[in-house]
Amino acid sequence: MILVPQTPTPLPPIPDIPPIPMGFVPPWVPYIAALGIIAGVLILIPIVRALARRIEGKGGSDEMRAEIDGLHQRVAELEAVEQRMHELENRMEFSERLLTQHRESALERGGKS
């Protein structure tokens, strides 16, 4: 069996697309596009600067750092209070169990607590 190479079929020609006539685009479109670009740049400049400061490690003022440190201290205090609360809950449950056992043993003996 002999294989004969096939010739590829030629592609159809690309049709010429006529340019959009200038009268088709309203005259205010370029102005709106320019205003959009300017507004986007004005909005993005502060964001980019803040990100750059954050990357450099200079982000935040001394007041903010002091406030964050105060919040860290407050969280540490609240965690200590939470731990004490858990201890008190455990003691209360233990006392309730002892009281219940005492009442049950008194009822079994036929007396009052």
Side-chain angles (χ1 to χ4, degrees), residues 69-113:
D69 290 339
L71 290 174
H72 283 294
Q73 289 175 347
R74 180 75 174 140
V75 167
E77 291 171 4
L78 289 174
E79 287 175 349
V81 168
E82 182 182 22
Q83 180 64 30
R84 289 197 63 205
M85 188 78 121
H86 285 299
E87 289 175 10
L88 290 173
E89 286 175 353
N90 289 338
R91 289 180 182 185
M92 190 174 197
E93 289 175 8
F94 179 73
S95 300
E96 288 173 350
R97 283 195 305 267
L98 282 179
L99 184 60
T100 305
Q101 287 176 359
H102 177 69
R103 284 184 182 166
E104 288 175 357
S105 65
L107 287 174
E108 287 175 4
R109 284 183 273 145
K112 289 192 171 186
S113 55

Side-chain angles (χ1 to χ4, degrees), residues 28-66:
W28 51 267
V29 169
Y31 296 114
I32 297 297
L35 285 175
I37 292 171
I38 291 170
V41 167
L42 290 177
I43 290 171
L44 288 177
I45 285 176
I47 294 172
V48 170
R49 284 185 183 162
L51 286 173
R53 274 186 260 130
R54 178 88 177 199
I55 291 170
E56 290 176 359
K58 297 179 182 176
S61 64
D62 293 335
E63 294 173 1
M64 288 181 74
R65 291 198 187 274

